[in-house]
Amino acid sequence: ELSPQEYFSSLQAGKASLAYFSHNVSPGAQPFLEQIENSAEALQDYGISVVKVNCPKGDVSRYCGKENALRKAYLFRGNMLIREFPTDALFDVNSIVANILFALLFNEVKYVETLADLQNIENALKGRSNMVFAYVPATGTAEHRAVMEAAFVYGTVHQFVLTTEATLLKDTGNDESDPSSARLLFCHCQRATDLAQPCRRTAMGQILTMLNIHRHLKLMGAPLVTEVAEDPEKVSTVHLQLGLPLVFILSQKETYEADRRTAEFVAWQLLGKAGVALLSRDRVDLNVLLRSNVALKTPDEGVPVKYLVLEDTDEVITLVEDKNKVEEIQEEEEEENEEDEDEKENNNQDIQDDQVAEAVSRDKKRELPLEQILVLTEETFHSALLETARTVVLFYASWEAVSLAVLQSYTEVADHLKGTQGVLLSRVNCWDWPGVCTKENVTQFPTIKIYKKGERSVMYDGMWGAEELTSFIMLSQVSCPLKLATTHEAERYLRGEFPPELSSYHHTSLLGVFSTAMTEAREAFEEAGNILSGHVTMGMYFEDDTLALSRKYAVSPPALLLARSGGRSVEGITLSKQSTQDMVQMIRYELLDIFPEITVQNLPHYLQLRKPFLILFSDGDISQMESKEMLKLAKGRPQQAFVACWLNLKKTPVGRGVLKAYFATMPSLPVLVWVNLHAGGQIFKFPSGQSITEMNILSWLEKLKAGLEIPSSTLSEEDWKPPLPAYDFLQMMETAVPELSLHTSHRRGDTPEQRPPENPGRNAAVREEPSQETKAEKVGTPGRDLRGTAPRLAAREKQGKRHSEL
């Protein structure tokens, strides 16, 4: 307490003081004086002194002589008056500290009322420094005080901006905020290299206190991703010191760039909630499972680092936000007996609507041996194609069931071809590298292509079993058609001895025989070979001594020689039609067996003939007598109007389901059935009392033709359609959570995955223009998966749930 003379003589240049000029204190001023006194200690921390000036009676000076002096307090810097405050604005310690600091920092803390003012400040800061934007419902509140105290400490490092306009808070993209709650956003303007894009924003999740703001600003100042080259147990970062967990993304040198982008993507999502570190397996010897791709270190003392296998970045974020998730994942990893769980999954309609997804889900815990399959990325794709004579590439999506099932077959192929010279097996995850797949015109998953140096790639269009894939890869190694130089080579080729690398493969060899003058037929045959490459071995002979070969097999050029069963029987066929498509169709037909055993793999080839089936169902191999009679029947009528075939229920158990669909009860075996799938779907059963002979069958078929037999059943005319409608997966792709952006292209809660697909037929190679938020993130294409790790057969429950949503 000082007199006016003592007060003004004690003022020091640059030093701030708050003065209250008082006459005899009235009872009404007492509460105010108590608050002023209580605030003195808090203001002293900021170098601001609080003074009560006692005005003597009769003083008519500027401050003591005013009638309303008792209702005002004055803020001086030195002897200069900065601001005068009505006493009702300084109603408690918070309002006093907040208003005094606001007045003193008036030039450092910008107050804005419109969106345009905020954008102007933001644009001026881009590339230079960051901004702390705070909304408080009213000045003089505890939150206002906390913001001003933070500005006093950090004002030289960051630009502080304040508003009390609730509409401005909504304009920044924060629709859901309660206008009665204060908010603080850290705006990363220093990182904003693109001046056209808004600064990225990280909201503070806690209430506005000085301690929470200080903690938030410390976290915003920490490196986005820390690179670690030591045991995670020894690592300490600002996040751990502030009581937050630290997430490690496990990386390796082959996928370092992709893993770095993934780590940055995760770090942006977890900013303020957890730290993210990139841990290189190549530099640290970790005694953990190779499949582990994420580690979690908590700030709790004595708790070991947990190593986990996660499928995508969403799971990492859930891991931090839901503490119970760690225990759930670890329990799943350690659980060996999962029969009950599998039973529940198998009864789950979400999975059962797709048998491939169901099979993959059942096998989800099985780790695939992918060591022999090279992982290709955007950076390594083209260089890998140049290193090996033939590169086989599987284009797949790591979340898609058929891709994962084919990946299993692919590992079996890799094991079978281990050590084969000149063949490299590789894979590209199109979910991670959509650019590569788009350039290679991959529009469906999975796709397998074989790339040969200097030649166009060959795409595989057969069955996805390991045996078929291996055969295709091996056959693709040989020119198609293979040009043979001598009759000795041609004879060896027909016996299956040439070329030597295919001698272990049992297949039908085709040899085209032409005279030197037959240029047009030869060219059509060569083009047919290009189309059928990988599916069949084709040779071509057109030397001067062609007639010698023709006489031996009783054909005249142009002709086709078919050598079945390793050359034990050679059949000659004259090539009457000389167009490429006719040749392809004829070759495919001739490759079909005369009396085939129907399997899951070959059924489509016979269905394409669109002929009725005369099919003998047997529980094991058919007898020699039945085989002889059926073969006579099949050979008896060349180019006949039906397919005579048989099915072994022991080798192809799905045949039991076929019989149950044909008959109400399971018939005794063997049973001969006539079915026309392409016209009427009527099922006729050969009389069980008659023996299966050529004569009896022909007699029975005549009765069928005359309409004298009654069908056992008729198949439904219902179309075989997929159980669920097709979706535009690009439309369904999950986008990153929009930041609190000034330029929102859509409101939160209306993200693309919640809208119905607008164009289900759009080609998967077409890419949408990224939204403003996505551009602002500058995270490349992080993908949904954690790259740099071996994919499992399927994801956990989440994969099933995603499948049901689609």
Side-chain angles (χ1 to χ4, degrees):
E1 294 187 22
L2 301 173
S3 66
Q5 187 179 359
E6 288 171 330
Y7 171 63
F8 285 112
S9 62
S10 67
L11 294 177
Q12 299 173 19
K15 188 169 174 62
S17 60
L18 178 65
Y20 174 66
F21 293 85
S22 170
H23 293 283
N24 295 326
V25 179
S26 65
Q30 192 59 40
F32 169 71
L33 281 172
E34 287 175 10
Q35 296 302 327
I36 282 282
E37 193 173 337
N38 292 339
S39 68
E41 189 177 347
L43 290 172
Q44 193 175 11
D45 292 339
Y46 300 101
I48 303 165
S49 57
V50 179
V51 181
K52 178 191 170 193
V53 181
N54 293 318
C55 295
K57 287 182 182 179
D59 190 339
V60 290
S61 62
R62 178 180 176 185
Y63 299 103
C64 285
K66 290 186 177 179
E67 287 181 16
N68 61 352
L70 289 177
R71 295 195 297 275
K72 288 199 177 176
Y74 299 88
L75 177 64
F76 290 90
R77 183 184 279 125
N79 59 5
M80 184 185 298
L81 176 65
I82 301 296
R83 185 163 298 175
E84 55 184 62
F85 297 97
T87 53
D88 57 2
L90 308 179
F91 46 86
D92 61 6
V93 174
N94 288 330
S95 64
I96 293 169
V97 176
N99 282 304
I100 300 305
L101 291 179
F102 194 24
L104 289 175
L105 300 174
F106 187 74
N107 293 322
E108 285 75 31
V109 178
K110 308 288 186 187
Y111 181 83
V112 294
E113 293 181 336
T114 65
L115 183 61
D117 292 339
L118 182 59
Q119 286 177 335
N120 290 338
I121 295 170
E122 185 183 77
N123 290 336
L125 293 174
K126 283 177 184 173
R128 291 173 49 236
S129 65
N130 297 318
M131 178 172 78
V132 179
F133 172 64
Y135 160 77
V136 292
T139 56
T141 58
E143 293 91 346
H144 183 208
R145 172 185 173 179
V147 172
M148 297 318 304
E149 287 181 314
F152 193 91
V153 179
Y154 294 99
T156 56
V157 182
H158 309 302
Q159 174 64 64
F160 278 72
V161 177
L162 183 74
T163 190
T164 54
E165 299 294 329
T167 54
L168 186 54
L169 181 66
K170 287 186 179 178
D171 287 337
T172 61
N174 201 1
D175 305 9
E176 298 170 10
S177 278
D178 180 1
S180 64
S181 302
R183 296 276 289 166
L184 185 138
L185 310 175
F186 187 88
C187 308
H188 306 267
C189 295
Q190 200 166 5
R191 289 175 177 266
T193 51
D194 187 351
L195 298 179
Q197 294 302 317
C199 301
R200 192 165 189 151
R201 292 166 158 66
T202 304
M204 191 178 88
Q206 297 81 24
I207 58 172
L208 267 63
T209 65
M210 178 57 196
L211 189 62
N212 286 341
I213 294 173
H214 164 76
R215 186 170 174 271
H216 191 65
L217 296 183
K218 280 281 269 186
L219 292 170
M220 296 304 103
L224 186 64
V225 175
T226 309
E227 297 221 11
V228 175
E230 61 178 323
D231 188 339
E233 296 284 2
K234 300 174 184 174
V235 174
S236 178
T237 66
V238 66
H239 305 88
L240 292 167
Q241 293 156 17
L242 292 174
L244 294 178
L246 182 62
V247 175
F248 295 88
I249 304 292
L250 274 54
S251 177
Q252 53 198 14
K253 65 181 179 183
E254 293 85 0
T255 56
Y256 170 80
E257 290 300 329
D259 295 330
R260 173 86 197 180
R261 287 198 291 272
T262 299
E264 288 178 2
F265 176 76
V266 171
W268 278 116
Q269 305 304 308
L270 294 177
L271 201 55
K273 300 173 187 174
V276 176
L278 192 62
L279 176 62
S280 173
R281 285 183 176 275
D282 307 306
R283 298 166 68 186
V284 184
D285 185 21
L286 294 175
N287 187 23
V288 296
L289 290 172
L290 279 173
R291 68 186 187 189
S292 298
N293 53 10
V294 171
L296 181 70
K297 184 175 184 178
T298 60
D300 309 319
E301 281 189 32
V303 179
V305 174
K306 295 180 174 70
Y307 293 89
L308 307 162
V309 180
L310 300 184
E311 300 297 335
D312 56 35
T313 51
D314 269 358
E315 287 198 3
V316 183
I317 293 156
T318 306
L319 187 72
V320 171
E321 294 175 347
D322 182 359
K323 291 181 181 176
N324 297 326
K325 191 72 177 172
V326 185
E327 284 73 21
E328 283 177 27
I329 292 171
Q330 284 203 312
E331 281 171 18
E332 283 188 23
E333 291 296 320
E334 292 162 6
E335 204 174 51
E336 291 179 5
N337 186 0
E338 51 170 343
E339 288 177 5
D340 294 341
E341 184 186 333
D342 278 349
E343 192 176 336
K344 285 177 189 173
E345 285 178 359
N346 294 341
N347 291 332
N348 185 341
Q349 187 59 38
D350 288 350
I351 295 172
Q352 284 189 343
D353 61 8
D354 186 323
Q355 291 177 347
V356 177
E358 181 183 0
V360 167
S361 179
R362 277 201 309 268
D363 228 4
K364 67 184 180 181
K365 296 279 175 158
R366 180 178 170 192
E367 192 74 33
L368 290 176
L370 295 165
E371 303 80 21
Q372 297 172 51
I373 301 171
L374 182 68
V375 177
L376 298 183
T377 67
E378 220 161 49
E379 291 82 8
T380 61
F381 182 79
H382 293 291
S383 58
L385 299 187
L386 300 173
E387 289 174 8
T388 315
R390 277 170 180 78
T391 307
V392 185
V393 185
L394 168 64
F395 298 93
Y396 70 104
S398 53
W399 51 264
E400 192 256 339
V402 177
S403 289
L404 294 168
V406 170
L407 196 56
Q408 186 175 356
S409 296
Y410 201 51
T411 58
E412 294 172 31
V413 174
D415 188 57
H416 190 81
L417 296 181
K418 189 177 180 180
T420 305
Q421 293 296 316
V423 177
L424 172 69
L425 264 62
S426 62
R427 58 190 168 98
V428 175
N429 185 352
C430 293
W431 190 241
D432 283 341
W433 309 108
V436 173
C437 301
T438 302
K439 285 176 186 173
E440 295 306 310
N441 198 29
V442 174
T443 56
Q444 63 186 37
F445 308 130
T447 292
I448 285 182
K449 286 189 175 187
I450 297 181
Y451 294 83
K452 306 176 190 178
K453 280 187 182 177
E455 297 181 37
R456 63 186 179 186
S457 62
V458 176
M459 189 164 81
Y460 179 64
D461 59 357
M463 300 292 284
W464 289 115
E467 191 180 331
E468 292 83 357
L469 280 170
T470 305
S471 173
F472 179 77
I473 292 167
M474 291 305 295
L475 292 181
S476 296
Q477 285 188 276
V478 180
S479 299
C480 190
L482 184 67
K483 293 177 182 175
L484 305 169
T486 65
T487 52
H488 177 64
E489 273 188 8
E491 295 283 3
R492 284 183 61 205
Y493 173 80
L494 288 172
R495 289 196 300 271
E497 299 170 6
F498 187 87
E501 58 264 38
L502 296 183
S503 58
S504 61
Y505 286 82
H506 300 291
H507 50 264
T508 301
S509 299
L510 291 103
L511 178 63
V513 181
F514 305 92
S515 67
T516 50
M518 296 173 177
T519 311
E520 188 180 337
R522 206 168 69 231
E523 286 176 354
F525 187 75
E526 284 186 49
E527 188 57 36
N530 289 333
I531 294 169
L532 295 169
S533 176
H535 297 286
V536 63
T537 52
M538 290 171 62
M540 186 165 68
Y541 190 74
F542 56 93
E543 301 300 325
D544 294 332
D545 53 354
T546 302
L547 288 175
L549 198 65
S550 303
R551 278 194 216 98
K552 180 174 179 178
Y553 294 106
V555 291
S556 58
L560 192 65
L561 298 178
L562 272 82
R564 303 181 195 271
S565 308
R568 283 196 293 273
S569 66
V570 178
E571 182 184 345
I573 302 164
T574 302
L575 288 173
S576 55
K577 295 180 179 178
Q578 296 185 4
S579 76
T580 300
Q581 286 304 320
D582 287 336
M583 281 192 188
V584 168
Q585 194 172 349
M586 187 200 76
I587 289 168
R588 280 180 172 155
Y589 181 77
E590 292 296 339
L591 287 174
L592 299 177
D593 290 334
I594 297 169
F595 177 54
E597 178 188 351
I598 292 296
T599 64
V600 172
Q601 286 79 8
N602 68 18
L603 177 61
H605 300 303
Y606 293 97
L607 281 175
Q608 283 177 346
L609 300 175
R610 301 191 69 78
K611 294 179 181 180
F613 275 54
L614 180 64
I615 182 164
L616 178 63
F617 290 87
S618 172
D619 193 18
D621 290 334
I622 55 176
S623 70
Q624 195 171 355
M625 188 273 287
E626 288 166 344
S627 175
K628 185 179 176 183
E629 292 295 324
M630 292 294 291
L631 198 58
K632 276 199 302 184
L633 180 75
K635 283 181 174 178
R637 298 183 177 184
Q639 309 292 332
Q640 62 186 320
F642 62 87
V643 176
C645 55
W646 70 287
L647 191 147
N648 183 345
L649 294 181
K650 283 187 177 173
K651 191 188 287 186
T652 312
V654 73
R656 294 188 186 278
V658 174
L659 282 176
K660 284 175 185 174
Y662 288 175
F663 306 107
T665 57
M666 189 75 178
S668 58
L669 300 174
V671 60
L672 186 65
V673 175
W674 171 279
V675 56
N676 191 346
L677 296 169
H678 307 287
Q682 290 183 327
I683 310 293
F684 294 92
K685 180 186 167 191
F686 183 71
S688 53
Q690 294 186 32
S691 58
I692 295 174
T693 64
E694 181 189 12
M695 195 64 68
N696 287 344
I697 295 169
L698 286 174
S699 171
W700 179 61
L701 291 179
E702 287 297 326
K703 288 181 183 177
L704 291 186
K705 193 175 178 182
L708 301 175
E709 291 285 322
I710 300 169
S712 301
S713 62
T714 303
L715 296 177
S716 166
E717 293 183 12
E718 184 182 352
D719 287 342
W720 293 358
K721 291 182 178 178
L724 294 173
Y727 269 81
D728 178 356
F729 284 102
L730 279 182
Q731 194 75 23
M732 301 297 294
M733 278 183 186
E734 295 174 19
T735 55
V737 176
E739 298 302 319
L740 298 175
S741 167
L742 294 178
H743 310 280
T744 50
S745 59
H746 54 255
R747 297 185 177 278
R748 289 183 66 187
D750 186 26
T751 50
E753 60 266 37
Q754 290 173 320
R755 294 196 297 263
E758 292 171 7
N759 185 3
R762 188 170 53 198
N763 191 304
V766 180
R767 301 178 66 181
E768 292 183 354
E769 188 66 24
S771 65
Q772 301 256 17
E773 294 88 350
T774 310
K775 289 179 182 174
E777 285 169 9
K778 294 290 179 187
V779 290
T781 53
R784 299 275 311 123
D785 276 0
L786 295 169
R787 308 185 209 180
T789 61
R792 308 181 73 188
L793 263 181
R796 294 184 173 72
E797 296 170 45
K798 187 162 188 207
Q799 196 80 28
K801 287 176 185 172
R802 186 179 300 164
H803 175 76
S804 71
E805 288 164 11
L806 296 180

